[in-house]
């Protein structure tokens, strides 16, 4: 049992450190570039994993940052990448919806006009040429 633990624990530590290193954003990595940390953790599994956990990543309470919205409005905070939290918060997305909606309305109006024209043509063919209704 002790032999298994001496193999499994370092392997679990290595896998956890490797995945943590890969998924950590670049701005939270300390001392070395992220790529160098990944190589260190891969090439030196035990020492690299411990080094990553001790010195590679900012740990502790998340840093507070000012709200990223217009005018510093606290309810409109943008995530780390500078993109809105949801599509309905993105002005570009909303503008594209309005543009698409306008195009669809124009297309619908064309179809309705075409349908009315075709109905008029069919009604004209159904009526007798002398103008009497049957």
């Amino acid at each position: 049992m002790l032999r298994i633990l001496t193999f499994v624990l370092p392997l679990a530590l290595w896998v956890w450190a490797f995945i943590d290193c890969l998924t950590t954003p670049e701005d939270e990595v300390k001392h070395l570039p992220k790529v160098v940390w990944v190589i260190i953790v891969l090439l030196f599994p035990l020492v690299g994993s411990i080094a990553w956990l001790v010195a590679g990543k900012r740990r502790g309470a998340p840093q507070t940052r000012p709200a990223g919205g217009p005018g510093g409005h606290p309810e409109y905070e943008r995530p780390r990448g500078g993109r809105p939290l949801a599509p309905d918060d993105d002005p570009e997305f909303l503008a594209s919806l309005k543009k698409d909606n306008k195009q669809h309305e124009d297309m619908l109006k064309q179809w309705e006009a075409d349908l009315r024209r075709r109905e008029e043509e069919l009604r004209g063919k159904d009526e007798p040429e002398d103008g009497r209704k049957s």
Side-chain angles (χ1 to χ4, degrees):
M1 178 73 174
L2 189 58
R3 262 191 243 168
I4 293 174
L5 285 179
T6 58
F7 176 73
V8 170
L9 285 178
L11 179 65
L13 173 69
W14 178 65
V15 168
W16 184 72
F18 179 67
I19 291 172
D20 187 45
C21 186
L22 285 177
T23 58
T24 299
E26 189 74 38
D27 59 340
E28 292 181 16
V29 176
K30 295 189 323 185
H31 304 296
L32 296 172
K34 183 176 175 179
V35 176
V36 175
W37 276 114
V38 170
I39 292 171
I40 289 172
V41 171
L42 278 176
L43 294 180
F44 308 103
L46 188 60
V47 176
S49 299
I50 293 171
W52 167 254
L53 295 175
V54 171
K57 179 180 179 181
R58 281 192 198 113
R59 306 226 186 256
Q63 295 178 352
T64 58
R65 47 186 182 158
H73 198 276
E75 295 174 8
Y76 188 82
E77 186 169 338
R78 290 182 182 258
R80 202 175 281 131
R83 301 223 13 127
L85 294 172
D88 58 346
D89 292 335
D90 187 358
E92 293 173 13
F93 178 73
L94 295 174
S96 72
L97 286 180
K98 288 180 183 176
K99 179 183 169 190
D100 289 346
N101 198 14
K102 177 72 173 145
Q103 289 174 344
H104 290 141
E105 285 178 11
D106 291 343
M107 190 182 327
L108 184 61
K109 287 177 185 176
Q110 289 175 352
W111 287 349
E112 288 174 346
D114 187 44
L115 182 61
R116 279 191 214 102
R117 181 186 53 81
R118 289 181 182 188
E119 286 177 345
E120 292 298 323
E121 287 177 3
L122 288 174
R123 283 190 190 129
K125 289 181 182 177
D126 288 343
E127 292 180 5
E129 291 188 23
D130 61 358
R132 290 184 291 156
K133 290 189 176 182
S134 356

